[in-house]
Amino acid sequence: MERTAVNPWDWSLKLGYNQAEVVEGVTRQVICAGQTAVDGEGNPQHLDDMRAQIGLALDNLEAVLEKAGMDLSNIIRLGVYATDVDEALTNFDVMGMRFGIHQNAPPMTLLGVSRLAIPGLLFEIEATAAA
């Protein structure tokens, strides 16, 4: 798989994502459902702690990817949902640390929502991965 970043402007790079990517030579895709801060039984964790919820949502995303034979370096698109966008952005360095290790800045969208499916959850991340 070959990825080419498309950035007519560089402001998004400072926030950790590309405006677009051209992805060529893909033989496999994994479409991941939204991952949140739940334990193995689906119970919400870290209520009222956005930073911890981001970390656990990323842990859960990595577990799904690992089961599919991939990791965060394979992510080609992210959709992020937060009940408090300002609080999510304050803690977005967690995302940068996790994706930075893989030198991956996939295109993403961050949306503010009034609530997520399970009460108490503050952050959800869905992803498309390719290899």
Side-chain angles (χ1 to χ4, degrees):
M1 173 176 74
E2 183 179 331
R3 298 167 71 156
T4 305
V6 178
N7 290 298
W9 320 276
D10 65 355
W11 63 263
S12 65
L13 296 175
K14 297 171 192 158
L15 297 173
Y17 68 94
N18 290 312
Q19 290 290 322
E21 288 185 350
V22 176
V23 181
E24 299 176 275
V26 173
T27 58
R28 252 176 101 226
Q29 278 194 359
V30 176
I31 311 300
C32 302
Q35 299 300 308
T36 59
V38 296
D39 64 15
E41 303 297 316
N43 301 308
Q45 304 295 303
H46 311 298
L47 302 180
D48 300 320
D49 186 343
M50 179 71 77
R51 188 172 193 82
Q53 285 201 17
I54 292 171
L56 184 51
L58 286 167
D59 290 346
N60 290 341
L61 177 58
E62 286 189 286
V64 169
L65 291 168
E66 183 179 332
K67 190 77 172 174
M70 295 187 186
D71 61 31
L72 294 179
S73 70
N74 296 102
I75 300 282
I76 60 170
R77 174 85 171 94
L78 291 172
V80 179
Y81 307 90
T83 59
D84 183 335
V85 171
D86 293 329
E87 185 68 15
L89 288 171
T90 297
N91 292 285
F92 235 56
D93 63 305
V94 175
M95 298 273 291
M97 288 185 282
R98 299 288 276 276
F99 281 89
I101 293 168
H102 298 281
Q103 297 182 332
N104 189 8
M108 78 170 75
T109 299
L110 169 61
L111 294 174
V113 296
S114 60
R115 66 163 281 204
L116 295 170
I118 300 172
L121 293 178
L122 308 172
F123 186 87
E124 185 166 343
I125 185 169
E126 62 184 16
T128 302

